[in-house]
Structure formats: C-alpha cells, structure tokens
Amino acid sequence: MNAVNRVLFVASEAYPLIKTGGLADVAGTLPEVLRQGGLDVRLLLPAYADLLQRLESPPEVLAELAFDGHAVRILQCVLPGTSLRTWLVAHPLFSERAGNPYHDDGGNPWSDNADRFMLLSRAAAHISTCDTALQWRPDILHCNDWHTGPAIALAHLAQKRPRTVFTIHNLAHMGIFDRGVFDRLGLPGQFWQEQGLEYYGQCSFIKGGLVFADEITTVSPTYAREICESPGGMGLEGLLSQRRDHLLGILNGIDSRTWDPARDPHLVQTYDAGSLQHKSLNKSALQQQLGLQVREDCPLLGFVGRLVEQKGLELILPVIEQLLDSPAQVVILGTGEARYEEALQALAARRPDVLSVVLAYDETLAHRIEAAADIFLMPSLFEPCGLNQLYSLRYGTLPVVRAVGGLADTVVDATDQALDAGTATGFVFALPQPDDLLHATGRAIAAWHDQPVWRAMQLTAMAQDFSWQRSAERYLELYRSTTE
Ligand code: ADP
Ligand code: GLC
C-alpha cells in the first residue's frame, strides 16, 4: 500500500461548469466524493469562455506558469455545489471562443483541437512533475479520455513523477491527428512509435494514456473485456490486452444530489418508492408540455442522448416507426448528427400526437423525461458505462437496453427466473437488429400492462445501489496499490 494524499484529476468537461456527456457527470462527482473521503483533490479543466460565464463569482488568479514555450494562468474556483477546488487553465485557445468545447455549430471539430488539448496536457504534466508557484504536486495524476492522454506520456519522461491513472470513458474518440500535427506540436521524437503515440501512421492522443499510464481503468467491467478484443478495441485491442493486468473496469455511479426523484427540483412532482403513484403526475405534465395526448392508458417511452450511431439510432428509427401505429407514445430528446435529427423530425411530423422530438440540449427536460416515461430506450451499439440507464432505474423508468458494456452490467433482464427471484430491473436484448429491439420493447410494453409485475420491477430498480461512494472506494484502492 502506498500513501496517497494529493490527486490531480484532469478532464475536458465537468458538470455543472461545462457538459456535453457522461464524462462531465463523472468529473463533476468522483473528485468531490474522493475529497469527502479525505484526499486532497484538485480538478483541472480548460477555462473555456462558456465555463467562465457560468462561474458565480470571478475566479482567483492563483499562478502564472510557463512551460515548453507556453504561458498560462491558473485560475481557482470551487466547483458549484461542492467544496472541490477547481483549477482552470486560462489561455486564449480556450477563452476566446464560445460554444461547444470540441466542435463548431456544424459539428466540425475545431481545427486547433490538437493545440488546445496538448496545452491542457502540458499544463497537467508540468504541475505534476515540476516545482511550480502552485506549491502543490500530486501523488496521483488521474487523466480522462484522449484530451489528456499526452499528459501521462509527458509525465513519464520526468525524473520525478506521480503515479498515473488513465480512465477510458469512450475508446471511439482517440484524438487522431496527422504526422504534421505531431511535428508542429514539438512532441519528443521517441513518442513516434507503436509503443508511443503512433497509431497506424497517425498520431493518437489517447495512446499516451494507454501506453504509459501505470494503471488504466474504464467505466464498466464488461467494457474492460470488450476493448481487449475486436471489434470493441477498435484497433487497440492488441495494446490493451498486453496491458490487461493493469486494466480495471470500475462502474460509474450516480450523482445523487442531482439525480434523485425525491428531491429533484426539475420535476413537476417529486416521488420515491413509497409514493410511486405520484410519478404519473410527471407523465401527464410532460404529455401536456410536449403536445402529446394526455393519456394514462398507454405507455410513454423515452430516449435522452446524443443522436449518434453509438446510441443505436439505426435501431431506434425503424422501431419508432412501428410503434407509431401501436398504442404507445414516444419522446426523444437529443442533439447530434443531422441525418438522425432530420429522420426523427420527419417521423414526428407524421404523428405529432404520439411522437415528440426535441432537438436540444435541455437539462430540465432530461430530468422530466426520466421521471415521466414508463420505459427508457437505450439500445446502444456499444456503451462504456452509460448513465441514463442508471438514472432511469433510480426513477423507476424501466430501461430497454442492449447487452453491451455498462448496460449489461447494470440492468437485469426480466426473464421468468429473474422475475421469480425478484431481481429483474429491465429488458435486455443481444443483437444490434431492429427486430430484437422491437421484441424487447414489446416485452416491456406487455409487462407495463401487468401492473403488479411492473410495480415490483420498479421497486427493485429503484432500490439498486449505484452510489458513487462504492465506486470511489475502488479508485482509492487502486491509487493505493499503484506502483511506478
Ligand atoms: P454519453 O456520455 O456517451 O453521452 P451517458 O449516458 O454516459 O452517455 O451520459 C449522457 C449524459 O448527458 C447524461 O447525463 C444525459 O442526461 C445527458 N444528455 C445527453 N443528451 C442530452 C440532452 N440533449 N439534453 C440534456 N441532457 C443530455
Ligand atoms: C462516455 C461513454 C458513456 C459513459 C461516459 C462516462 O461518454 O460513452 O458510456 O457513461 O463516458 O464515463
């Protein structure tokens, strides 16, 4: 066991300051839970323009750092709703642009993303390996996803370095740039090799984390296995299986301050397991809000998420089309690829009374859908962990999921055996085919019509413990057992 006191947790987004997906939920919760457990944790984020706007008061300027020909200021704030000290890397590359952290309004990646996230990575490595004006060096450098991979690689070049942990939230995003970018960034030539950042003739930021980290984690045990094989490993399965002894799957938890139906301020009516009858008030309020028929006698199916291939849109579209002719209603909230947005809009135009499509990023609506829907659809092609199915379970909104990644690890299919044992929490199918999703959805709708069975499943789902405390314990054990 090694002493661990200081942890630098580095990410490209963290709720509630800046969020595009589940990474923000994790980075906005796990560091604070670790802090509450007694560690001295700092969260390091880029000082994006949108993030700075969201701060309740102006941040304190903590230090000016210079490294590798760059100069940044480190600003300090407290992550809203927590007591977590958050450090922001301030530089024009981050602050002089409004909008999404990764891409423009048309979905095209910012052309200088390599420079932006290399700067974040360099700042993290510098703080972790040098005596700086911050007078604080971590025992553990914990980086997340491709934006921070080079930080691990650079830290490993230093004479004195912290132990390093790299968490994969989504292997599909590798941070790939061409050789010219690698040269322009002035990265050490020794990184241009297979056991470095080189990836099939290009440069991949995520490899910095995968090759060099003392320990790699990902966000569910099943995804940890899937990425050691093809196709889950997406060309990195060789490297990941080589590193299998240092690869661990730790399930994400739920931020129970934000996602709790008993005290969720976004809901029209709060409820818990003892007052489940109140859940239906959320359903009628949402039907009204979205212009659907206000009906109790047909199930309401919900989807919230990025409208991208990963989330199973190729399965959802044909299934919704079939559902339009059955007594069911569907509500979709998401933003993403134009082809999916357009197809959904076209379907909604045909039957606005039973299908509502909201193409927006809307937190209140996301909470309301979790509370109002009876059934939640999450037929992902792959899913490292997935948070929406966890929120659904917590809200008694039974999920229909594909048996992949974290979905397989968190939802128990309503087989006869599981129903008898009282362990069933949802509906699981195996193959990525519309008919299989349709069949699983049909099973869910049939179960919904059997109220005693449905109620029992809801209570089992709501009683599941997906608290962060348990997962944070696993990270703490990992930090302590890690050696250089
Ligand atoms: P991923 O990180 O792959 O997008 P997760 O299920 O882990 O998937 O997390 C997605 C998070 O983003 C959830 O908190 C979800 O509620 C939120 N989210 C996704 N799309 C939207 C949206 N359009 N409006 C509001 N919240 C959204
Ligand atoms: C990624 C994954 C998602 C996971 C989230 C947080 O965005 O797609 O499955 O829940 O990261 O770890």
Side-chain angles (χ1 to χ4, degrees):
M1 283 289 159
N2 295 296
V4 174
N5 180 28
R6 294 175 169 181
V7 178
L8 183 65
F9 193 95
V10 191
S12 57
E13 53 181 279
Y15 180 84
L17 290 177
I18 185 95
K19 168 167 165 173
T20 71
L23 169 60
D25 291 345
V26 176
T29 317
L30 172 61
E32 167 65 5
V33 176
L34 290 166
R35 187 199 66 77
Q36 288 168 4
L39 294 186
D40 179 9
V41 187
R42 309 293 150 103
L43 171 64
L44 187 72
L45 301 171
Y48 306 109
D50 286 30
L51 181 156
L52 292 170
Q53 268 188 353
R54 259 176 228 137
L55 294 177
E56 285 147 4
S57 52
E60 177 190 345
V61 180
L62 211 55
E64 307 218 350
L65 304 182
F67 46 83
D68 315 320
H70 303 275
V72 303
R73 278 180 308 150
I74 300 294
L75 313 178
Q76 176 168 268
C77 65
V78 172
L79 188 72
T82 73
S83 301
L84 182 71
R85 274 196 235 191
T86 301
W87 287 351
L88 308 171
V89 179
H91 188 278
L93 277 173
F94 298 124
S95 59
E96 287 183 355
R97 184 175 310 158
N100 186 287
Y102 314 119
H103 55 72
D104 64 20
D105 288 345
N108 307 303
W110 297 117
S111 59
D112 51 2
N113 270 348
D115 305 79
R116 299 166 75 232
F117 295 111
M118 184 53 70
L119 186 68
L120 173 67
S121 289
R122 285 191 195 278
H126 181 68
I127 294 169
S128 302
T129 58
C130 298
D131 290 325
T132 70
L134 295 166
Q135 298 191 332
W136 187 97
R137 267 213 278 165
D139 305 308
I140 297 282
L141 168 62
H142 187 160
C143 289
N144 296 273
D145 272 358
W146 71 265
H147 324 88
T148 61
I152 304 250
L154 291 168
H156 278 246
L157 291 181
Q159 290 214 312
K160 275 177 79 177
R161 66 166 180 90
R163 286 165 279 142
T164 56
V165 175
F166 184 76
T167 298
I168 305 166
H169 296 265
N170 195 335
L171 195 61
H173 302 289
M174 298 186 188
I176 294 193
F177 304 99
D178 59 33
R179 171 76 204 232
V181 172
F182 178 89
D183 293 336
R184 182 166 54 74
L185 292 173
L187 283 163
Q190 71 209 75
F191 286 168
W192 192 263
Q193 56 162 316
E194 206 187 321
Q195 290 297 319
L197 303 191
E198 195 263 336
Y199 175 77
Y200 299 99
Q202 292 188 295
C203 162
S204 156
F205 276 22
I206 203 171
K207 281 193 72 189
L210 305 185
V211 170
F212 294 99
D214 295 319
E215 303 294 338
I216 305 168
T217 72
T218 188
V219 288
S220 70
T222 294
Y223 192 59
R225 283 193 299 277
E226 288 169 350
I227 58 178
C228 288
E229 288 166 13
S230 177
M234 301 183 168
L236 290 170
E237 56 275 7
L239 168 63
L240 287 162
S241 35
Q242 248 175 46
R243 300 228 54 202
R244 203 187 285 262
D245 292 347
H246 294 276
L247 169 62
L248 183 67
I250 304 178
L251 265 184
N252 288 331
I254 292 187
D255 178 357
S256 50
R257 294 162 308 171
T258 313
W259 293 97
D260 177 0
R263 53 183 172 148
D264 185 335
H266 297 294
L267 305 192
V268 171
Q269 173 66 56
T270 54
Y271 60 94
D272 60 18
S275 57
L276 248 180
Q277 70 280 9
H278 290 158
K279 184 172 171 8
S280 63
L281 293 172
N282 291 291
K283 180 170 171 177
S284 48
L286 189 73
Q287 287 168 326
Q288 212 155 24
Q289 179 186 341
L290 298 178
L292 298 170
Q293 275 181 7
V294 179
R295 297 175 58 167
E296 264 193 45
D297 63 342
C298 75
L300 176 63
L301 287 74
F303 171 92
V304 178
R306 293 179 294 119
L307 302 175
V308 295
E309 204 181 358
Q310 177 195 341
K311 301 294 172 184
L313 267 293
E314 303 289 346
L315 311 187
I316 288 182
L317 285 166
V319 167
I320 291 182
E321 193 157 5
Q322 303 237 20
L323 287 174
L324 293 185
D325 298 323
S326 73
Q329 297 177 332
V330 183
V331 46
I332 307 272
L333 169 64
T335 56
E337 290 179 32
R339 55 181 172 148
Y340 295 133
E341 295 193 348
E342 284 156 18
L344 284 166
Q345 258 174 333
L347 283 175
R350 262 171 50 194
R351 291 296 306 275
D353 54 326
V354 291
L355 171 62
S356 170
V357 172
V358 181
L359 301 177
Y361 189 90
D362 183 334
E363 259 164 44
T364 298
L365 192 54
H367 284 250
R368 289 188 172 170
I369 292 172
E370 288 290 3
D374 299 296
I375 296 166
F376 193 87
L377 299 177
M378 203 154 166
S380 307
L381 299 190
F382 68 95
E383 196 61 76
C385 177
L387 293 168
N388 278 313
Q389 86 281 13
L390 300 182
Y391 304 147
S392 302
L393 292 169
R394 186 88 190 77
Y395 281 61
T397 303
L398 301 184
V400 176
V401 304
R402 203 172 147 238
V404 285
L407 300 174
D409 290 337
T410 54
V411 179
V412 178
D413 186 32
T415 57
D416 290 345
Q417 212 177 12
L419 286 169
D420 284 348
T423 53
T425 57
F427 305 86
V428 184
F429 66 99
L431 297 176
Q433 291 165 0
D435 278 351
D436 290 42
L437 170 60
L438 189 64
H439 184 250
T441 307
R443 287 200 290 131
I445 292 176
W448 180 80
H449 283 289
D450 188 344
Q451 274 300 306
V453 167
W454 192 258
R455 189 50 61 98
M457 281 183 71
Q458 282 181 303
L459 293 176
T460 309
M462 292 175 84
Q464 301 300 304
D465 176 12
F466 291 113
S467 70
W468 260 111
Q469 268 63 26
R470 223 167 43 173
S471 305
E473 270 302 312
R474 307 280 318 276
Y475 282 101
L476 186 57
E477 278 165 28
L478 181 72
Y479 292 164
R480 292 200 172 125
S481 62
T482 304
T483 50
E484 276 182 29

